[in-house]
Amino acid sequence: MNAQSLWGPLERLARAVRQYPRRAPLTLAYVCLLLAGHAWVGHGPSADRAAAVLGHVSTNLDNLRDHPWSALPGSALFFDGTLTDVTSAGFVGTLITLGLGVCCFLAWAEHRWGTARAAAVFLGGHVLATLLTAVVITVALRHGWYPADVRHAMDYGVSYGAQSVLAVGTLALPRRGRLPWAVLVLAWPLGGAEWTTGPLPDFTTVGHLTAAALGFALLGVPAFRRQRIRATGRGAAEGDAGPRPDTVAPPTSPAAGAPQRPPA
């Protein structure tokens, strides 16, 4: 590989990093908030205090029944993973959820559709997957498929929302790469799945698969297949992809026989 062929990707990467704050300001702020929360949990003044906060925002059945309005949003303020133990499975999960899901694909969604729709995809996946998983847990407990202590198990983090964004992010890939990517999004949670006495894997795997299904369902919604219309052509000048061919309305032709004004 010569220097010229290496310089091209590095230049594009540097340009993307420079433009990141302008293209995805909400994503950047959210990533900074997650990193600050992670630092506070790991290096805060009291490990007991951090454990109490995480226990309060955990979206288990007991908390969802007792204080859902603080548990649901609060659980999305922390990520359950590691940034230092690079040989662990937890680090792989961090790379997928925080690295790809939030830093990359949530930023792509914000740039493509705008802040409101990107936040709707992420928060919708986080909340709906959590609530649907709670229903599954309730049914599983009734049939004895899960142990009773799952009602107050620790369950927090960004992974459900990130999983929905990863699924929607299939649109960001070339057509030939979409099917393998969809398989990867569905397969990676199964890699660490735990099976108990019943027909279901552990509830976090159920939650990840549910979140992915919600994200894939959005691929059929027209509002999430169209790129937002920008007021200026600055994006194209900086290397942005233009509108998709199937979203541009064809020019209208004058009706047959209608008089046309001569050019001024």
Side-chain angles (χ1 to χ4, degrees):
M1 179 180 295
N2 55 41
Q4 185 176 2
S5 61
L6 180 62
W7 176 250
L10 291 177
E11 187 178 29
R12 288 192 294 271
L13 177 61
R15 183 169 62 248
V17 171
R18 289 196 305 269
Q19 295 173 351
Y20 195 98
R22 179 181 58 81
R23 292 186 174 189
L26 178 65
T27 302
L28 179 60
Y30 184 48
V31 170
C32 292
L33 182 62
L34 289 173
L35 293 176
H38 187 74
W40 179 81
V41 169
H43 307 285
S46 170
D48 292 338
R49 175 61 178 167
V53 170
L54 295 179
H56 182 79
V57 302
S58 176
T59 52
N60 51 48
L61 289 185
D62 289 347
N63 285 355
L64 289 177
R65 184 184 65 249
D66 184 61
H67 51 273
W69 299 110
S70 58
L72 278 170
S75 64
L77 298 179
F78 303 93
F79 66 90
D80 184 16
T82 178
L83 293 173
T84 56
D85 190 2
V86 296
T87 61
S88 66
F91 184 76
V92 175
T94 299
L95 288 179
I96 295 175
T97 57
L98 180 63
L100 290 177
V102 178
C103 295
C104 296
F105 281 94
L106 183 58
W108 169 84
E110 184 178 1
H111 178 59
R112 179 181 175 92
W113 296 313
T115 298
R117 290 182 185 176
V121 173
F122 182 87
L123 293 176
H126 172 74
V127 172
L128 290 177
T130 299
L131 296 179
L132 291 173
T133 303
V135 174
V136 173
I137 294 174
T138 302
V139 173
L141 285 172
R142 193 169 299 167
H143 289 80
W145 296 338
Y146 285 164
D149 59 0
V150 77
R151 298 187 62 89
H152 49 268
M154 189 71 76
D155 183 27
Y156 66 91
V158 302
S159 58
Y160 291 174
Q163 187 78 345
S164 292
V165 175
L166 287 170
V168 171
T170 304
L171 290 176
L173 304 176
R175 291 186 181 275
R176 64 179 179 274
R178 291 179 180 178
L179 180 58
W181 176 255
V183 172
L184 176 63
V185 170
L186 291 171
W188 86 264
L190 293 171
E194 297 179 2
W195 300 81
T196 55
T197 57
L200 298 175
D202 60 279
F203 71 90
T204 57
T205 301
V206 172
H208 284 105
L209 295 178
T210 302
L214 292 170
F216 286 128
L218 289 177
L219 297 180
V221 178
F224 289 100
R225 295 191 63 86
R226 293 192 297 266
Q227 187 168 357
R228 64 172 174 169
I229 299 174
R230 295 178 176 85
T232 66
R234 182 184 304 173
E238 293 175 350
D240 295 345
R244 297 173 62 88
D246 57 350
T247 63
V248 180
T252 56
S253 59
Q260 302 183 33
R261 295 180 57 186

